Amino acid sequence: MSDKDQKDSAPKFQPPYGGAIVHITNPHQHHGYRHMVAWCVSLGATSREYILGEIEKAKKAEADAETIYQVHKESEHRPGEWITVADLRLSNPEAADQVQRYVDAMVDYEERMAAYHKRPTPPRQNSYTLTFPASVSVVVQAPTLAAAYAALTPREDTSGHEIKQADPHIPGTMRIELDRAHGTLIATDDPKHQQPPAERRAPLSV
């Protein structure tokens, strides 16, 4: 499976609100303050730096995990106090339910991601260049035996290698039988097999 296919198959976060903003779903970033993330997003906050800054302040203050924000220190009502989703539910149950739905989506996503990372890793696909002793049988349609041989007479290409090319005007088929027991490894990107030099080709174990 390619890296692209793996990314395409990875779980997607599906929040109940917030649109296409960059959501903070990594536990190592939100430190368990999911309700605070949900609250900030519900207010339209799109700045990761702002949300992470609020989380850091709550973490340093050892605020409750269900904290959603801190009352301004100059406020006349509960100055500096950390407000939880339970407090919010007393004054605005609908908003509290909305925050909880976002938190539930975060938890679900984290569980799916954990299961995704525990899945068996598909084996690496390596490239192997192999040569084999081969028995080649050719069926050529030709008016005479000499013409059949002539159609398959070796010639040299520009690189000096001999090639066999049938006369394009004479239809034919070719059958190649490989001797797998005597295969030779020429080149590979498999780290388990040292790539042999061309002048010292290693026998292939099958």
Side-chain angles (χ1 to χ4, degrees), residues 51-101:
I51 299 175
L52 292 174
E54 293 297 294
I55 290 172
E56 188 61 27
K57 287 191 292 185
K59 182 182 174 184
K60 286 183 178 180
E62 297 183 351
D64 187 275
E66 294 190 353
T67 290
I68 56 176
Y69 69 92
Q70 183 183 27
V71 178
H72 197 281
K73 293 181 179 180
E74 297 180 1
S75 173
E76 295 182 359
H77 180 63
R78 305 168 71 175
E81 186 172 337
W82 293 95
I83 304 300
T84 68
V85 70
D87 298 322
L88 177 64
R89 190 171 299 283
L90 295 175
S91 60
N92 192 337
E94 184 176 341
D97 287 342
Q98 177 177 259
V99 166
Q100 190 59 52
R101 285 195 299 273

Side-chain angles (χ1 to χ4, degrees), residues 139-168:
V139 177
V140 179
Q141 301 297 323
T144 65
L145 179 61
Y149 273 106
L152 299 171
T153 300
R155 67 178 178 80
E156 287 193 356
D157 64 8
T158 55
S159 63
H161 295 88
E162 283 193 351
I163 60 173
K164 292 182 181 293
Q165 179 173 319
D167 187 328

Side-chain angles (χ1 to χ4, degrees), residues 86-190:
D87 298 322
L88 177 64
R89 190 171 299 283
L90 295 175
S91 60
N92 192 337
E94 184 176 341
D97 287 342
Q98 177 177 259
V99 166
Q100 190 59 52
R101 285 195 299 273
Y102 189 101
V103 170
D104 291 344
M106 290 179 71
V107 172
D108 174 70
Y109 173 69
E110 290 170 21
E111 291 176 349
R112 287 187 289 117
M113 282 299 293
Y116 173 77
H117 288 302
K118 289 180 180 178
R119 77 199 190 288
T121 303
R124 166 191 167 103
Q125 298 299 308
N126 300 302
S127 173
Y128 303 93
T129 302
L130 309 169
T131 62
F132 298 90
S135 173
V136 181
S137 301
V138 183
V139 177
V140 179
Q141 301 297 323
T144 65
L145 179 61
Y149 273 106
L152 299 171
T153 300
R155 67 178 178 80
E156 287 193 356
D157 64 8
T158 55
S159 63
H161 295 88
E162 283 193 351
I163 60 173
K164 292 182 181 293
Q165 179 173 319
D167 187 328
H169 301 294
I170 302 177
T173 60
M174 181 176 293
R175 175 183 175 83
I176 301 177
E177 295 181 358
L178 302 179
D179 184 355
R180 293 184 59 197
H182 297 87
T184 301
L185 175 64
I186 301 300
T188 180
D189 58 6
D190 187 346

